[in-house]
């Protein structure tokens, strides 16, 4: 719809490799592409009111992808087989991403602590996933 080339990307991580995401595509130097097939009523809402943005169900995923990739925006393509597709642009939300960073780092710390405890008890081999 926008006649823009996209780039296939695999799993992306932050610099230390502890947090990652897998966007559907990269767009240029600043964007991402995420393709969704929502419920028909959600798709119709996107067609009628794209300025309202995407459902909260997608917020963590999209902002998380922007956080990990350091990109500025994500075009969420909503597809329905019997209706026109619609593109909803989601901009980077720095306040949300700051809170997400805090929560994700706390989770990673808890995970590392739990893993170390399992290893100490002999319930998990060292260096196991």
């Amino acid at each position: 719809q926008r006649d823009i080339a996209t780039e296939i990307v695999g799993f992306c991580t932050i610099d230390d490799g502890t947090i990652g995401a897998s966007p559907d595509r990269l767009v240029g130097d600043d964007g991402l592409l995420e393709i969704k097939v929502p419920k028909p009523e959600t798709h119709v809402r996107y067609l009628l009111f794209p300025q309202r943005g995407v459902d909260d169900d997608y917020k963590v995923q999209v902002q998380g992808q922007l956080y990990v990739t350091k990109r500025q925006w994500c075009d969420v393509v909503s597809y329905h087989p019997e209706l026109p597709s619609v593109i909803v642009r989601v901009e980077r939300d720095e306040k949300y991403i700051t809170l997400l960073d805090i929560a994700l780092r706390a989770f990673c710390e808890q995970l590392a602590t739990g893993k170390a405890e399992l290893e100490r008890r002999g319930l998990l081999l060292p260096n196991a996933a």
Side-chain angles (χ1 to χ4, degrees):
Q1 286 179 341
R2 293 199 173 147
D3 197 31
I4 297 173
T6 62
E7 180 184 342
I8 296 172
V9 65
F11 190 71
C12 305
T13 65
I14 63 171
D15 292 338
D16 68 7
T18 58
I19 300 166
S22 54
D24 289 338
R25 300 281 179 119
L26 302 178
V27 181
D29 294 330
D30 296 324
L32 299 174
L33 176 67
E34 188 64 31
I35 301 170
K36 297 294 182 193
V37 183
K39 297 180 285 189
E41 57 269 25
T42 301
H43 185 80
V44 169
R45 184 182 64 74
Y46 293 157
L47 282 169
L48 293 173
F49 308 106
Q51 69 279 8
R52 289 188 186 168
V54 296
D55 277 2
D56 286 343
D57 293 347
Y58 303 137
K59 184 170 186 170
V60 175
Q61 179 187 17
V62 171
Q63 291 298 326
Q65 290 175 351
L66 292 170
Y67 161 64
V68 168
T69 62
K70 300 178 183 173
R71 300 277 173 140
Q72 298 304 307
W73 51 265
C74 179
D75 279 347
V76 178
V77 176
S78 181
Y79 172 80
H80 187 281
E82 298 174 8
L83 296 168
S85 294
V86 62
I87 300 171
V88 179
R89 169 90 30 118
V90 177
E91 300 289 338
R92 187 178 174 89
D93 180 340
E94 291 300 339
K95 289 180 184 178
Y96 189 89
I97 287 173
T98 297
L99 295 173
L100 187 60
D101 177 64
I102 292 167
L104 287 170
R105 290 185 187 277
F107 171 78
C108 287
E109 187 175 312
Q110 289 174 343
L111 187 63
T113 301
K115 180 181 176 191
E117 178 62 17
L118 290 173
E119 288 172 353
R120 186 188 69 72
R121 293 182 188 187
L123 299 172
L124 185 67
L125 297 175
N127 297 322

